[in-house]
Amino acid sequence: MGQTVVCSIVRLVVQVKLLPTPEQAAALETTLRAANKAADFVSRVAFQQRCFRNFDLRKHTYEQVKTAYGLAAQAAQHVIKKVCDAYRTLHANLAARHLGKPGSARRVKAESKPISFRPAAAQPYDDRCLSWQHGDRTVSIWTIAGRLRGIAFTGSAQQLALLAKHRKGESDLVWREGMWFLHATVEVADVSITAPDGFLGVDLGIANIATISDGVRHSGKGVNAVRHRHRELRRRLQAKATRSARRLLKRRRRKEARFAADVNHSIAKQIVTVAERTGQGIALEDLKGIRDRVRLRKPQRVTLHSWSFHQLGAFIGYKAARAGVAVVHVDPSYTSQQCSHCGHVDKNNRPDQETFACTSCGFAEHADVNAARNIASRGEAGWAVSHAA
Ligand SMILES: [Zn+2]
């Protein structure tokens, strides 16, 4: 007990809100618009000349981006890189057939014209164009109207502490619904992990978002109710298909995502706090097969967003890393059919959704708690194997 092992780097994005004066906001807006107009220009050149590599594209567009759009050297390079990244993503999506088979309407549409950028699309900034004064809680940022100094920013105490200590690399300037944000990347590295005294297993699901092997269940009731309400509204708005309906839909979707993120944050925090207090590690399901594993009736299938599970896993991962709590991922197959008491695997161990009753030894428990216990013991076994000797 008490010995430590090294863990890898955890990378996460921290959002802070900028509080610019009206003049500063105007300069930011002009800059974002110019950068995205420049991106459209670069994108057209890339498309016409079938030239998608950063180095080549820079040769064709760099001077013009600087002179015609008034961008400084660094900003011009970021614009070109942003365009390259967008085409790389598009080409990867085409290759993976996410836009349908060759010749399909969606695919033809995507391939037949250059990628275009929204006037207020996010713009990356590196340390030469953006500097942080954490003590004053201000940033200094390059704009077309010159360098703006002393733009105030705000965020949660926890986020600000993370930023001051661990910010690394580029940040994105983001405009959303009339507000300005910076999305900064934070790297928490080399956190020493305390060798765990047993594991908490976490079972993910629909009725219970997360069930812990100590018997605590985090119910999905609130989240599912909100999702359901949003889904109804979405159906009505989609039927309308007007511009304002589309806009409302977009806002709704964001609101729903924010709500789910809040819930995930809170659950992750509670789980990590218990693990930290009891000196245990956390065992999570490996989520690769979650869509295959969770068999659902149709109305529930809409409810299940695998990204939400991935998000919860990610939140637990970085909160645990910060607290020095070990996390292991385990193979989740048959965790719901296996008896956590005697190990017997049988479909009939699960007479209904909520109940686990072992046909071999008679052990009975809430089905999700039983699954979480299996995950915990697999975590323990996995840790022992990977940290033997
Ligand atoms: Zn049993």
Side-chain angles (χ1 to χ4, degrees):
M1 243 18 64
Q3 95 246 36
T4 58
V5 288
V6 175
C7 122
S8 53
I9 289 172
V10 181
R11 188 172 293 152
L12 53 137
V13 172
V14 169
Q15 172 184 284
V16 297
K17 190 176 176 190
L18 293 176
L19 305 168
T21 64
E23 296 78 40
Q24 290 171 333
L28 290 176
E29 194 179 336
T30 317
T31 305
L32 213 51
R33 282 180 189 280
N36 286 308
K37 270 201 180 132
D40 276 341
F41 159 72
V42 175
S43 175
R44 282 195 302 275
V45 173
F47 185 80
Q48 279 154 13
Q49 310 203 4
R50 311 307 297 166
C51 164
F52 302 110
R53 284 172 48 203
N54 198 332
F55 180 80
D56 304 326
L57 205 50
R58 212 186 281 184
K59 270 195 303 200
H60 293 302
T61 60
Y62 180 63
E63 283 309 319
Q64 208 172 336
V65 166
K66 283 201 301 180
T67 53
Y69 297 92
L71 299 189
Q74 293 305 325
Q77 286 181 22
H78 280 300
V79 162
I80 295 166
K81 182 170 172 290
K82 177 162 93 169
V83 174
C84 288
D85 289 346
Y87 275 106
R88 192 177 315 120
T89 306
L90 172 66
H91 293 153
N93 277 329
L94 289 172
R97 305 210 161 178
H98 291 156
L99 299 171
K101 286 185 217 145
S104 77
R106 258 174 89 208
R107 190 175 175 125
V108 167
K109 196 177 162 203
E111 284 173 321
S112 63
K113 57 180 185 344
I115 291 178
S116 65
F117 292 83
R118 285 178 296 109
Q123 176 69 13
Y125 273 79
D126 65 22
D127 287 350
R128 279 166 291 191
C129 335
L130 171 70
S131 62
W132 299 76
Q133 287 76 45
H134 296 288
D136 303 343
R137 216 176 275 177
T138 61
V139 290
S140 146
I141 188 168
W142 175 87
T143 72
I144 280 198
R147 186 110 187 171
L148 295 184
R149 288 173 211 284
I151 301 187
F153 66 86
T154 169
S156 73
Q158 192 191 32
Q159 287 176 320
L160 296 178
L162 262 180
L163 261 185
K165 250 176 129 177
H166 302 293
R167 192 196 60 79
K168 208 166 207 164
E170 291 175 6
S171 305
D172 281 345
L173 176 65
V174 174
W175 181 89
R176 205 172 59 223
E177 289 164 28
M179 293 175 285
W180 291 94
F181 300 93
L182 283 169
H183 289 184
T185 310
V186 171
E187 279 186 2
V188 188
D190 284 336
V191 187
S192 49
I193 300 277
T194 310
D197 185 10
F199 276 83
L200 279 179
V202 181
D203 177 70
L204 303 174
I206 303 296
N208 297 301
I209 298 178
T211 302
I212 320 303
S213 50
D214 63 4
V216 174
R217 280 179 278 141
H218 298 273
S219 167
K221 254 185 201 153
V223 178
N224 292 338
V226 167
R227 289 223 170 106
H228 187 75
R229 266 206 313 278
H230 285 187
R231 197 165 68 231
E232 290 301 308
L233 184 72
R234 205 147 58 214
R235 245 204 1 234
R236 286 206 307 273
L237 290 172
Q238 265 161 355
K240 269 179 146 181
T242 62
R243 212 191 160 115
S244 68
R246 260 206 309 278
R247 208 172 311 138
L248 191 58
L249 208 58
K250 208 166 158 187
R251 209 173 309 149
R252 277 276 146 189
R253 207 172 292 134
R254 279 206 203 105
K255 205 168 164 190
E256 187 181 332
R258 270 200 301 273
F259 177 71
D262 286 346
V263 170
N264 279 343
H265 262 302
S266 139
I267 293 176
K269 191 172 165 187
Q270 291 174 50
I271 294 172
V272 172
T273 305
V274 171
E276 198 181 2
R277 183 165 46 75
T278 55
Q280 297 180 91
I282 296 172
L284 293 171
E285 306 170 48
D286 199 336
L287 289 179
K288 276 178 208 114
I290 189 142
R291 270 198 195 272
D292 311 327
R293 186 181 63 82
V294 185
R295 276 179 220 285
L296 299 166
R297 282 172 291 118
K298 207 164 174 201
Q300 280 197 332
R301 219 172 288 154
V302 193
T303 319
L304 174 68
H305 289 296
S306 69
W307 65 261
S308 182
F309 288 119
H310 283 278
Q311 187 184 54
L312 179 58
F315 287 174
I316 291 175
Y318 84 73
K319 284 180 204 290
R322 281 213 314 263
V325 168
V327 172
V328 292
H329 293 267
V330 306
D331 175 5
S333 36
Y334 302 110
T335 43
S336 60
Q337 294 174 19
Q338 187 178 24
C339 172
S340 63
H341 188 69
C342 74
H344 178 62
V345 178
D346 187 347
K347 254 189 191 161
N348 300 325
N349 283 348
R350 187 88 180 270
D352 61 63
Q353 186 65 28
E354 289 206 341
T355 318
F356 184 92
C358 181
T359 55
S360 174
C361 76
F363 173 79
E365 181 52 279
H366 189 286
D368 293 344
V369 176
N370 177 69
R373 283 196 184 187
N374 286 326
I375 292 167
S377 49
R378 286 182 196 189
E380 202 150 343
W383 177 272
V385 168
S386 58
H387 292 83

